[in-house]
Amino acid sequence: MRRLLTAVSVLALLSGAPAAMAQTAPAAAQAQSEDARLNAFFERAFQERIALSPQAMTGLGLKTDYDKLDDASDAAAARALAMQERQLAEMKAQFDPDALNAQSRLSWRLFEYGVEQARLSNQWRDWGYQFAANGNPTTGLPVFMINQHRVASVSDAEAYVSRLRDAERAMGQVAETLRRRAAAGIVSPNFVFAPSIASTRNVISGAPFDDGADNPVWADFQRKVGALETDQATKDRLLTDGRAALTGEWRRGYEGVLTALAEVQQQANAMPDRDGGVWRLPQGEALYNARLQLSTTTDLTADQIHQIGLDEVERIHGEMRAIMAQVGFTGSLQEFFALLKTDPRFQYPNTPEGKEQYLADSRAFIAQVMAVAPQWFSGLPRAPLEVRAVEAWREATASIAFYNAPTPDGSRPGIYYVNLSDMTQVLKPQIEGISYHEGAPGHHFQIAYAQEMQGLPSFRRFGGYGAYAEGWGLYAERLGKEMGFYQDPYSDFGRLSTELWRAVRLVTDTGLHAKHWSREQAIDYFRQNSMLSERDMVKEVERYLTNPGQATSYKIGELKIMELRARARQALGDRFDIRDFHAVVLGAGSVPLDVLEDQVDAWIAAGGGATS
């Protein structure tokens, strides 16, 4: 039976396999001991890092510090970076890389690279927008409580209440940072404030805050307490405590953030270029260059990325015109876009039934991938995958679609979320490709599988890089075509439209932040060159404005994977097996693109194939 090709076998080639194979028994034993010692160091380092984040531990299925929320202060960020720097220094002082096997040397390389990235990210920490177009800390906390804080005992419920109370401190830190950054001129674009204020207010709306329907957090707590196997008096006490925490500390914390948002909104209203890119901020150019490096794990410049985007847009337009000819459409590309965006054939009804059909279709697309996946992959994740609608109370600031990773212990599945806030803006031809990206064979096959690779250090199983993960997601959309899907030419056109969407991102993200494009210029470029709905075009551009550089990771990562696959196919000829290629790409977890290239090149040099 085929198994995923491990990084051990691939990277042995990088270090000279013949010499390693010729080790004497004592030397091999010594190396094994050193490798085991390094792996133990990595595990201690990982545990030390996650101990700083109660919420991260909860996300991993642990119940340590289950009654606490994260410390989001600058002092905590400084402590975290200092700890990573200390760990890096300890690794270099305690271990000799020449005494390690290839897998351990890769872990060494990735550990060092991770600290370098943390150092760069922390350098620009104060330039970040807390409130973005596609998410903010006030709505993130309820999602965390509902989806990740499990209640299997009375003490778990008491910890839930403690976390509700701790929200006053946590939200106080949010408000404090918001004001401090605003005083330094780091203010979110103006369009962020109205939806952020509305979604934050939603968190403290409904019962027990007013006479409305149960607030989602209150409903969640009642449901979890109701399912406990304990006496009614204990349940009543827990519910009383939960209600008091929500109407007390929880509400005060959120009201404090609302006050700060209103203050900073006035400052945003008075700012020139208030909806512009980060070029308008102090040291904006240097900030954007750093964000591109963090997002792509490359040294590509903004100009290079912009040109790559323009070239990709032109190529994809050509493939789209071929499909237009196939279906007999004689108008322009823009007219075909308009047809697909307005013809009722390509829309779901904006009704509960229409939303349920969207979910059913997404589940069917994932099911057909699962049926043939063994022909394309030599190992699959064990964790189940679910499709869910984004909760109504956070639709306004949630992305179009996204993936949440499962817990390692299996208590929470992988979740592919879809935003169904306005079905008139959902385009049926795009749903297939998005399902492959966010679900299978996209993020679920990569992220859930990485978590299950027990041979890797924990920091590699649970860490990652956007260019790799999002590049894989976009690659998965194209892979669906090779797997025999997109049988409907309109759905195939939809696949191209989502690839085009990511190519347009390269142009618009760099346009906004490096070429001083206005928000309206970027939206107009989308309108002329993509098939996104009007709502989604606006949401996308606003996302790029508030999360600079991140959107470039998708296409840059996908192009690298396709480049490496073409290189391997040409070099290996008949020996090329797509399952083995995917094994190499997925077999070491999420890695920077240069590391991925090294692995594939080493596999090619070894003649391809799988290992036992």
Side-chain angles (χ1 to χ4, degrees):
M1 179 178 179
R2 286 177 186 272
R3 294 193 297 174
L4 276 177
L5 187 63
T6 66
V8 177
S9 57
V10 172
L11 289 162
L13 300 165
L14 297 176
S15 59
M21 293 170 63
Q23 282 184 318
T24 63
Q30 180 181 359
Q32 183 179 13
S33 174
E34 194 72 355
D35 295 325
R37 200 166 68 86
L38 180 63
N39 283 335
F41 167 84
F42 286 143
E43 190 58 33
R44 290 193 302 272
F46 179 78
Q47 295 299 330
E48 188 179 12
R49 291 182 183 187
I50 65 170
L52 297 181
S53 173
Q55 291 175 239
M57 289 189 285
T58 298
L60 293 173
L62 305 175
K63 291 188 176 181
T64 307
D65 288 339
Y66 210 43
D67 58 344
K68 298 180 177 64
L69 299 174
D70 285 356
D71 184 347
S73 66
D74 282 351
R79 286 194 298 272
L81 181 62
M83 179 192 66
Q84 292 184 63
E85 296 282 12
R86 172 180 55 75
Q87 290 175 343
L88 178 61
E90 289 175 358
M91 182 186 74
K92 291 183 174 181
Q94 295 176 19
F95 299 94
D96 177 4
D98 292 336
L100 302 170
N101 68 21
Q103 173 76 318
S104 296
R105 283 197 293 276
L106 174 60
S107 293
W108 172 298
R109 177 180 178 185
L110 291 172
F111 192 86
E112 182 175 30
Y113 187 88
V115 177
E116 291 169 355
Q117 288 245 315
R119 192 181 296 146
L120 180 60
S121 179
N122 197 70
Q123 178 184 343
W124 296 100
R125 169 181 161 81
D126 281 341
W127 278 255
Y129 298 134
Q130 289 174 293
F131 289 81
N134 63 325
N136 62 65
T138 56
T139 56
L141 182 53
V143 173
F144 168 78
M145 295 302 298
I146 292 168
N147 287 344
Q148 299 197 35
H149 189 109
R150 294 172 291 151
V151 175
S153 66
V154 171
S155 63
D156 290 347
E158 291 170 342
Y160 194 117
V161 173
S162 294
R163 278 179 156 165
L164 296 179
R165 292 174 176 148
D166 200 23
E168 184 170 18
R169 175 200 58 78
M171 290 300 110
Q173 291 178 338
V174 171
E176 177 186 0
T177 301
L178 183 66
R179 289 188 174 103
R180 180 172 48 75
R181 291 183 184 176
I186 311 301
V187 179
S188 295
N190 186 62
F191 57 77
V192 166
F193 288 91
S196 294
I197 289 171
S199 60
T200 300
R201 189 171 287 119
N202 285 342
V203 177
I204 50 174
S205 298
F209 307 105
D210 54 43
D211 295 332
D214 282 350
N215 176 276
V217 177
W218 177 231
D220 176 67
F221 186 62
Q222 291 179 90
R223 179 183 60 80
K224 288 173 178 174
V225 169
L228 285 175
E229 295 183 1
T230 188
D231 60 90
Q232 190 59 46
T234 300
K235 292 183 180 181
D236 291 343
R237 172 181 64 81
L238 291 170
L239 292 174
T240 298
D241 290 347
R243 178 188 289 270
L246 283 168
T247 57
E249 295 92 336
W250 178 277
R251 177 159 59 185
R252 288 198 298 271
Y254 276 86
E255 286 175 342
V257 174
L258 285 169
T259 299
L261 280 169
E263 293 172 6
V264 178
Q265 184 180 29
Q266 293 180 0
Q267 183 176 343
N269 287 336
M271 292 180 69
D273 301 315
R274 60 191 184 188
D275 289 345
V278 294
W279 54 265
R280 68 192 176 94
L281 302 180
Q283 302 181 62
E285 182 178 355
L287 163 65
Y288 188 54
N289 290 339
R291 292 300 299 266
L292 288 178
Q293 183 177 341
L294 289 166
S295 295
T296 68
T297 67
T298 72
D299 293 325
L300 289 170
T301 66
D303 284 343
Q304 288 172 318
I305 292 172
H306 193 83
Q307 187 59 52
I308 291 169
L310 292 172
D311 293 343
E312 283 293 283
V313 167
E314 183 178 2
R315 176 188 64 79
I316 297 166
H317 279 176
E319 294 187 26
M320 286 179 152
R321 291 189 177 95
I323 293 179
M324 289 165 54
Q326 178 186 347
V327 300
F329 188 84
T330 57
S332 69
L333 186 59
Q334 284 70 27
E335 288 171 336
F336 197 62
F337 289 159
L339 172 69
L340 268 65
K341 289 194 288 185
T342 58
D343 192 313
R345 289 180 296 164
F346 306 118
Q347 293 182 335
Y348 292 95
N350 194 25
T351 63
E353 293 76 16
K355 294 180 180 184
E356 189 53 44
Q357 187 59 52
Y358 180 116
L359 293 170
D361 288 348
S362 298
R363 292 172 183 132
F365 290 136
I366 289 171
Q368 68 183 10
V369 169
M370 294 299 191
V372 301
Q375 301 171 33
W376 298 84
F377 295 88
S378 49
L380 300 174
R382 295 186 299 273
L385 172 64
E386 294 183 6
V387 181
R388 298 182 188 176
V390 170
E391 300 87 350
W393 54 271
R394 61 167 175 147
E395 286 175 336
T397 53
S399 299
I400 298 166
F402 52 96
Y403 175 79
N404 276 10
T407 50
D409 65 2
S411 60
R412 186 183 68 246
I415 304 170
Y416 160 31
Y417 275 106
V418 294
N419 193 333
L420 307 181
S421 59
D422 184 359
M423 298 303 290
T424 66
Q425 301 294 298
V426 173
L427 304 179
K428 273 188 179 180
Q430 294 181 330
I431 305 309
E432 186 171 4
I434 293 173
S435 297
Y436 300 153
H437 180 116
E438 301 295 347
H443 287 325
H444 187 64
F445 276 26
Q446 181 259 310
I447 295 172
Y449 188 86
Q451 290 186 356
E452 296 169 6
M453 288 192 285
Q454 296 302 314
L456 296 184
S458 294
F459 83 90
R460 290 174 57 186
R461 291 168 53 211
F462 300 109
Y465 300 90
Y468 174 94
E470 298 300 355
W472 174 263
L474 185 51
Y475 170 80
E477 296 181 30
R478 185 186 301 212
L479 184 64
K481 173 78 170 176
E482 299 174 49
M483 297 172 86
F485 307 136
Y486 303 105
Q487 289 299 306
D488 180 351
Y490 291 103
S491 189
D492 197 22
F493 192 92
R495 170 188 68 83
L496 287 171
S497 77
T498 58
E499 183 183 6
L500 178 63
W501 167 15
R502 281 36 172 262
V504 169
R505 282 177 169 176
L506 300 184
V507 180
T508 52
D509 195 289
T510 52
L512 287 163
H513 296 294
K515 298 183 180 298
H516 296 203
W517 284 17
S518 69
R519 172 175 174 269
E520 289 69 30
Q521 277 179 283
I523 292 172
D524 187 61
Y525 185 85
F526 253 112
R527 188 176 292 119
Q528 295 301 317
N529 292 283
S530 80
M531 199 180 77
L532 283 188
S533 67
E534 286 294 317
R535 180 202 66 169
D536 289 346
M537 283 188 283
V538 172
K539 286 179 72 71
E540 283 290 299
V541 170
E542 291 180 349
R543 168 184 167 180
Y544 311 156
L545 282 165
T546 55
N547 195 358
Q550 188 274 338
T552 65
S553 59
Y554 299 70
K555 206 55 170 100
I556 297 302
E558 181 244 4
L559 288 172
K560 175 57 69 174
I561 294 173
M562 291 301 300
E563 171 196 332
L564 296 175
R565 196 177 83 165
R567 183 187 305 173
R569 190 182 294 276
Q570 180 177 6
L572 297 174
D574 293 341
R575 291 170 295 163
F576 179 85
D577 187 318
I578 193 66
R579 292 168 296 183
D580 297 336
F581 175 76
H582 289 156
V584 176
V585 173
L586 296 176
S590 181
V591 296
L593 297 183
D594 60 341
V595 173
L596 179 63
E597 185 164 11
D598 287 345
Q599 292 179 97
V600 174
D601 283 345
W603 174 65
I604 293 171
T611 62
S612 57

